[in-house]
């Protein structure tokens, strides 16, 4: 029996997502757990897997379209099912026919026709649910606002290609990934169309307005929520990091995977959580939820904003495994290929601005986590050891804590455990 495939809620509290691509063509069979659609949120790319065996009968949404959560995106059937009158079936299900043709193939195929190159179907009845339909971009007047998918913007920015000069082939002239790739391809012709309407060209203009990206809006909303609902308090500590840096140099001699100071800090955070499990918690409406596994979020800066993928079960990972995981996260975060499940969970985040020379800073807790550790730069400074003044390498840490699930004494005990591990680094690897 044919049924509708609807846009899933791929991330909590999202109201819409971008249908990034269709890995399968229409009338192609799929098996349970096969990826049948790829969806892009503000922070991640999510593969939508089939819940059972079936066949993809009809695509209802073109790649690059923004779709409300719960809206129909495709018609799927049982294995081997054929439907002679798709329009009638869709009408029975309360959905109008969208533009993608029956012979559409995945746009990732270089020889594939664009789903938007065919005439637009007749509009759906007024009572039918809204289905995004392609629009001939040539009929859309140039505007100073450029519609583009988040992934297209990332690709264009990394290539130093102005997004406003790329001709979009998505709905309403939206710039898609394939448009950026085509604009960057060797020998490409006539695909860049400068947009000048509404542009401010006067040298006297005192500012430039950059529209908020979805990721920037999400970051703003979550951090505002955190500061308004989670009563923060802060603990600061100075670590003698000389032995930690010596251990890093020793571990990296001849190593296939390079270990960073941040990798050692992440591993030490897991050790401190095992010693003081009262910090390995989150606040919920009715309970304080305590975890047995230590899952640590790592702040990764991208061109579009900060993301925090989660390294899971850090207590069971070797230091090289932690380093490999963090490096993989960083690479995929900057190319927009993180999966949504990799961004969920964790009780603490680690954010490090030491590579920028920042000595000390305080960070805002990433809800619903209970704490975040801010790591500053390792610097040579005067230190006093056993009453003797000398030069040592120190590193400053600031722990931001949600006072609802964690008391000050508990956080202080945790910070003492962390400092001890960092100043006696062989214990981190034990």
């Amino acid at each position: 029996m044919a049924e509708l495939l609807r846009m899933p809620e791929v991330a909590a509290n999202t109201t819409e997502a971008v249908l990034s691509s269709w890995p399968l063509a229409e009338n192609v069979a799929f098996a349970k757990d096969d990826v049948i659609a790829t969806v892009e949120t503000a922070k991640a790319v999510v593969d939508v897997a089939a819940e059972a065996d079936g066949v993809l009968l009809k695509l209802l949404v073109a790649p690059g379209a923004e779709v409300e959560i719960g809206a129909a995106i495709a018609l799927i059937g049982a294995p081997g099912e054929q439907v002679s009158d798709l329009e009638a079936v869709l009408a029975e299900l309360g959905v109008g026919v969208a533009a993608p043709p029956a012979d559409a193939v995945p746009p990732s195929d270089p020889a594939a026709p664009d789903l938007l190159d065919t005439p637009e179907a007749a509009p759906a009845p007024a009572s039918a649910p809204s289905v995004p339909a392609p629009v001939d971009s040539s009929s859309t007047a140039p505007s100073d606002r450029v519609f583009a998918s988040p992934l297209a913007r990332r690709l264009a920015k990394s290539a130093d290609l102005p997004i406003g000069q790329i001709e979009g082939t998505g709905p309403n002239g939206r710039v898609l990934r394939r448009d950026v790739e085509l604009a960057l391809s060797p020998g490409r012709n006539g695909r860049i169309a400068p947009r000048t309407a509404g542009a401010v060209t006067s040298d006297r203009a005192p500012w430039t307005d950059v529209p908020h990206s979805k990721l920037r809006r999400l970051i703003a909303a979550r951090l505002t929520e955190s500061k308004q609902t989670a009563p923060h308090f802060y603990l600061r500590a100075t670590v003698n990091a000389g032995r930690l840096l010596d251990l890093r140099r020793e571990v990296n001699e001849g190593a296939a995977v390079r270990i960073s100071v941040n990798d050692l800090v992440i591993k030490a955070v897991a050790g401190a959580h095992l010693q003081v499990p009262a910090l390995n918690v989150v606040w919920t409406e009715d309970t304080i939820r305590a975890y047995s596994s230590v899952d640590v979020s790592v702040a990764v800066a991208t061109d579009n904003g900060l993301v925090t993928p989660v390294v899971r079960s850090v207590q069971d990972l070797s230091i090289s495994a932690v380093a490999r995981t963090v490096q993989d996260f960083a690479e995929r975060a900057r190319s927009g290929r993180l999966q949504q499940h990799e961004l969920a969970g964790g009780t603490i985040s680690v954010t490090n601005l030491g590579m920028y020379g920042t000595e000390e800073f305080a960070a805002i807790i990433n809800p619903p986590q209970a704490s975040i550790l801010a790591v500053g730069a390792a610097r040579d400074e005067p230190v006093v050891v056993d009453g003797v003044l000398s030069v040592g390498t120190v590193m400053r840490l600031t722990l931001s804590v949600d006072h609802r699930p964690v008391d000050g004494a508990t956080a202080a005990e945790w910070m003492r455990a962390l400092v001890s591990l960092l100043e006696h680094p062989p214990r981190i690897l034990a």
Side-chain angles (χ1 to χ4, degrees), residues 261-271 294 296-298 311 314 319 322 326 350 422 428:
V261 171
N262 209 50
D263 299 328
L264 292 167
V265 171
I266 292 168
K267 188 67 176 170
V269 164
V294 183
V296 181
S297 296
V298 183
V311 184
V314 179
I319 188 62
V322 170
V326 172
V350 173
L422 293 174
I428 298 174

Side-chain angles (χ1 to χ4, degrees), residues 244 247 263-269 271 317 319 418 420-430:
L244 184 72
L247 175 66
D263 299 328
L264 292 167
V265 171
I266 292 168
K267 188 67 176 170
V269 164
L317 299 179
I319 188 62
L418 177 67
S420 179
L421 286 167
L422 293 174
E423 292 187 340
H424 303 84
R427 298 178 187 172
I428 298 174
L429 307 182

Side-chain angles (χ1 to χ4, degrees), residues 31-82:
K32 181 182 179 181
D33 297 328
D34 282 353
V35 176
I36 53 178
T38 302
V39 175
E40 188 175 350
T41 68
K43 285 191 174 185
V45 174
V46 180
D47 291 331
V48 179
E51 298 180 354
D53 295 353
V55 60
L56 187 59
L57 296 173
K58 180 70 177 177
L59 305 179
L60 302 179
V61 173
E66 291 191 26
V67 185
E68 292 185 0
I69 302 303
I73 58 175
L75 181 69
I76 58 177
E81 182 174 358
Q82 296 181 347

Side-chain angles (χ1 to χ4, degrees), residues 206-222:
W207 64 76
T208 300
D209 287 336
V210 179
H212 298 312
S213 67
K214 285 188 177 182
L215 178 55
R216 180 52 55 191
R217 288 185 184 277
L218 179 61
I219 292 172
R222 288 179 62 83

Side-chain angles (χ1 to χ4, degrees), residues 253-294:
E253 289 179 2
V257 179
R258 303 291 292 180
I259 308 300
S260 70
V261 171
N262 209 50
D263 299 328
L264 292 167
V265 171
I266 292 168
K267 188 67 176 170
V269 164
H273 265 43
L274 293 179
Q275 293 184 36
V276 187
L279 206 75
N280 192 22
V281 298
V282 298
W283 175 267
T284 73
E285 185 176 351
D286 299 313
T287 66
I288 296 175
R289 182 170 298 163
Y291 291 85
S292 55
S293 176
V294 183

